[in-house]
Amino acid sequence: MCTAFVSIEPAAAVPVLLLSVRDEYLGRAWLPPGRHWPDRPGLLGGLDLAAGGTWLAVDPARRTAACLLNGFGPAAPADTRRTRGRLPLTAVTEGGTGHLDLTPYDPFHLLLARPDGVAVTSWDGVRAERRELPAGLSVVLNDGLEGRAANRADSERISALMASRADHFRARFAAAPRPEPTGDGPAERAWGAWLPIVTGDGLALDEDAALVQRRDFGNGRIWGSSSISLLALGPDGLRYDFAAAPVGADGVGWRRVAD
């Protein structure tokens, strides 16, 4: 149940803010953000050691980021399937994925964020749809933009958990002063009132609305939030903060990845 919140305020000093929470089976190995791809040396992102890709790629020079969430729908043919984790790398380098044949990829939602706006491409295994996000606060879930993808989770319980998370945190972010992370300083100064919300808002890890979560499926299979990324994209620069989850609301555990 990965989640991305996007705040777009075109007149603000920092027009685009992106929060990405990655959820995964916690036994899946990964590395924190770095320059992990020799063929794309300018890019930063966490490395998925299982498939070699990433869930979020950042190009500081272009002030561009791409965030990937799994979708629902028919899987790609097994004999031609490619990892979705290369898509963020392609998107930030080549300006999107519209030129690609998507049939080798399982369903996904891909956000491409720039200082002048954010677009979401959704692929359901049959059809691709691209949407520019409006000004204000938007949320993208595995059930799609605002949870309204044509193909959604088969489980009513899973869909209800995503909706509960979206509703709770949309209200909390909307009620808090919008940060403008410019200049130097630690994460708690840059992200202000948003940081305690981002780190879980005091909810237990197993609550329905939890943004940072843990779910025990037995036999050692623990599903949960493995990392949190915060990005601020403006005309004068990009700020990228990262933390392994869970992380304390006091700001300890955050790492400044890029300016």
Side-chain angles (χ1 to χ4, degrees):
M1 294 191 295
C2 297
T3 305
F5 279 93
V6 179
S7 173
I8 301 176
E9 295 294 344
V14 183
V16 174
L17 305 178
L18 169 63
L19 159 67
S20 169
V21 178
R22 184 193 186 214
D23 295 338
E24 184 57 85
Y25 282 108
L26 299 184
R28 185 167 179 139
W30 57 278
L31 294 177
R35 300 185 188 275
H36 297 296
W37 301 275
D39 61 328
R40 302 179 190 267
L43 303 190
L44 291 164
L47 177 64
D48 173 29
L49 291 172
T54 188
W55 56 97
L56 190 149
V58 177
D59 186 337
R62 291 186 174 94
R63 300 194 303 279
T64 304
C67 173
L68 178 74
L69 294 82
N70 293 346
F72 296 103
D79 57 342
T80 60
R81 181 178 292 130
R82 297 177 185 172
T83 176
R84 289 168 289 193
R86 297 291 297 187
L87 292 171
L89 303 172
T90 298
V92 295
T93 303
E94 302 178 27
T97 57
H99 61 294
L100 297 179
D101 172 14
L102 297 179
T103 55
Y105 299 97
D106 288 343
F108 65 83
H109 307 287
L110 182 70
L111 293 83
L112 183 61
R114 313 164 306 275
D116 62 349
V118 181
V120 178
T121 297
S122 293
W123 166 248
D124 65 6
V126 177
R127 183 173 62 95
E129 182 178 24
R130 183 180 184 278
R131 296 182 181 177
E132 288 283 343
L133 297 189
L137 190 62
S138 299
V139 60
V140 182
L141 311 159
N142 300 113
D143 269 351
L145 176 60
E146 305 297 345
R148 297 172 184 166
N151 286 343
R152 305 177 195 173
D154 293 332
S155 165
E156 292 185 6
R157 173 62 174 160
I158 295 298
S159 287
L161 289 173
M162 284 189 276
S164 179
R165 172 190 281 194
D167 290 346
H168 176 93
F169 284 92
R170 180 196 299 280
R172 294 290 290 122
F173 286 126
R178 185 182 188 270
E180 291 192 349
T182 57
D184 295 326
E188 63 267 29
R189 184 186 308 165
W191 295 94
W194 273 30
L195 199 66
I197 304 172
V198 166
T199 53
D201 203 31
L203 299 181
L205 297 177
D206 59 354
E207 288 194 43
D208 283 2
L211 181 65
V212 178
Q213 61 175 287
R214 291 288 185 275
R215 310 280 172 185
D216 188 345
F217 292 111
N219 298 319
R221 297 166 68 243
I222 307 295
W223 176 274
S225 305
S226 59
S227 66
I228 309 170
S229 299
L230 283 167
L231 287 104
L233 298 94
D236 300 320
L238 175 150
R239 178 169 177 137
Y240 177 12
D241 290 284
F242 176 87
V247 61
D250 57 4
V252 175
W254 286 95
R255 168 191 165 201
R256 179 91 171 266
V257 180
D259 298 328

